[in-house]
Amino acid sequence: MDASHDTLRATFWKPALTAGKGPRYLRLASFIEQAVADGRLRPGDRLPAQRELASWLGIDFTTVTRAYNRARERNAIEGRGPLGTFVSTPRVTFEQVLDLGMNIPPAPADLFLGELLQQGIDEVLKHTDASMLMAYQLGDGGIADRQAGALWLAPMLGELDASQVCVCPGAQATLAALLLTETSRDETVLCEPIVYPGLRSAARTLERKLVAVPTDHDGMLPDALSAAVREHGARVVYLNPTLQNPTTRTMPETRRRQLLDVAETLNLTIIEDDPYWRLAHRAPPPLARLAPHRVHYIATLSKCLTPGLRTAYLRLADIRRRDLFLSTLNAFALMAPPLMTGLATQWIHNGMADRILAGVRSAAAQRQAIAADVLGEPGAAPEQGIHLWQSLPAPWTARELTMAARAEGLAVTPADAFCLSPEAPNAIRISLGGVRDPERLGSALRRLKTLLGEAPPSIHAAVV
């Protein structure tokens, strides 16, 4: 091989460490995969010897060895003994990022949602004028839709009349409309320090102030709530008390009753965002069941059935505020999508929703068991629900881990996405429903476990 050709090969590899983030061996492995994906490296191409590549890049031999091993694990390259290392043949099909960041329910193993969707829509069309499904439908849903909502809410709130239920276009729109209905611009809303990001987004957009109330392992502290109300003049409290997003904590009934006592004494309104109650085992009664006149209750189908069902049910604390709420909601979300609402109604009335829910709960339990086996302490009991709150070992920080995981093809969510204070805990949320099958989830979690056992890339490392 002549010197000019060798120089060209070295030039090809020079950008390998300048793109992306994370440890150098991961950047080099990602460079190899990307070069194969876009055709710069072709099946059968011979890679440089490890010592040769280390010399070209000015890095140590071990870094190249780890990069080659990682690329080999992903089937991008293959070793052929004394002949060297080659791009794999046939050409590798690269998977997308494994999503451990988006909190969605896992698909039931024994149900095929595509078939259920087709069957469900066929049934909707049999019983509904198709032109009505494509027309504007103002208000809070038809009588059958509200009856379905009452049936869905019955395990949480007890028997309801359909007139007590509003059918809404998703929990986020419902939450935003409630903030507009119950508070004024620059008014304070009280919440826990670690909170659902959708509340932060809505409050910022609508110019409401969020103030964190201190918590303990059971949730918001009653005395701290009283003090915060008196200090800030707040009238509204937001709570996500069951399998809280992101911490997975479920507030015990005793604490719920203590907070409701404070709300009664100080004339507070509570917004209870409760998407995961039906995924929990023996969950305490919702606040809205214990004090229905104090609590607006939101339950969405997208977190316990399938995210494509953008249907949420709202039970207002005071039905006299229904018209005000609906006029506010209609200002930015004119209606719940009729076809999807019709499908949700059909599934709830014919029992299919409960079948899907049972499948999701079974799939979630399986995935929690996998996560406990890979990430938990030996003998640790699996969590409930569809996500985990994972504390990180020193010296990792949540942001460093998130970036390093991304370089590994894994998406996770750092704690500061959920925190009102800059002093976020050193943790990440791991969502278990986004990876399609359990085997790939296990592989993703093992990759994350391996990463946690390594040292993070030093921010003080020399740039090569």
Side-chain angles (χ1 to χ4, degrees), residues 195-365:
V195 72
Y196 166 54
L199 176 67
R200 296 179 62 189
S201 175
R204 181 171 57 251
T205 301
L206 301 176
E207 299 182 286
R208 270 62 175 171
K209 297 177 182 177
L210 296 181
V211 171
V213 179
T215 61
D216 63 10
H217 63 280
D218 285 340
M220 186 179 285
L221 292 165
D223 290 344
L225 174 60
S226 297
V229 170
R230 295 187 174 97
E231 179 180 355
H232 299 282
R235 299 180 296 120
V236 174
V237 183
Y238 170 91
L239 291 170
N240 170 204
T242 304
L243 297 180
Q244 195 242 15
N245 183 13
T247 66
T248 75
R249 182 189 63 235
T250 292
M251 184 184 292
E253 183 175 348
T254 300
R255 178 59 55 85
R256 297 179 189 222
R257 291 186 180 276
Q258 292 170 342
L259 292 174
L260 289 170
D261 288 343
V262 174
E264 193 67 35
T265 299
L266 299 179
N267 194 29
L268 302 177
T269 296
I270 295 175
I271 298 174
E272 183 174 14
D273 190 4
D274 208 17
Y276 306 112
W277 192 94
R278 296 195 66 168
L279 296 178
H281 303 299
R282 297 181 295 278
L287 296 129
R289 185 159 190 164
L290 300 173
H293 64 293
R294 285 278 159 212
V295 184
H296 298 309
Y297 186 81
I298 309 171
T300 179
L301 300 182
S302 65
K303 297 298 185 184
C304 53
L305 294 185
T306 180
L309 284 179
R310 307 306 301 164
T311 301
Y313 300 114
L314 169 69
R315 185 204 173 276
L316 290 163
D318 185 350
I319 196 63
R320 293 172 297 181
R321 298 183 71 75
R322 173 180 174 276
D323 290 344
L324 176 59
F325 167 79
L326 289 176
S327 65
T328 303
L329 178 66
N330 290 342
F332 58 88
L334 193 59
M335 61 182 181
L339 183 58
M340 286 296 100
T341 300
L343 180 62
T345 296
Q346 178 72 27
W347 279 352
I348 291 171
H349 279 298
N350 69 14
M352 183 55 69
D354 284 333
R355 284 188 60 194
I356 297 172
L357 175 65
V360 169
R361 290 184 63 167
S362 177

Side-chain angles (χ1 to χ4, degrees), residues 113 135 202 314 365 376 428 441:
L113 287 178
L314 169 69
I428 58 173
L441 174 65

Side-chain angles (χ1 to χ4, degrees), residues 367-437:
R367 288 159 183 259
Q368 289 285 2
I370 292 170
D373 182 59
V374 175
L375 299 174
E377 298 294 329
E383 297 278 358
Q384 299 177 39
I386 58 175
H387 64 277
L388 297 173
W389 187 236
Q390 180 74 31
S391 297
L392 301 181
W396 282 106
T397 68
R399 277 291 165 186
E400 286 175 335
L401 192 280
T402 300
M403 291 188 292
R406 191 75 184 188
E408 279 283 276
L410 306 172
V412 297
T413 308
D416 59 12
F418 306 93
C419 296
L420 300 185
S421 166
E423 291 80 33
N426 193 30
I428 58 173
R429 188 191 70 184
I430 302 171
S431 299
L432 302 177
V435 178
R436 184 175 296 273
D437 62 76

Side-chain angles (χ1 to χ4, degrees), residues 432-455:
L432 302 177
V435 178
R436 184 175 296 273
D437 62 76
E439 291 75 18
R440 292 181 70 202
L441 174 65
S443 175
L445 293 175
R446 285 189 290 273
R447 283 158 63 178
L448 186 62
K449 178 73 170 180
T450 299
L451 195 60
L452 289 170
E454 299 174 349

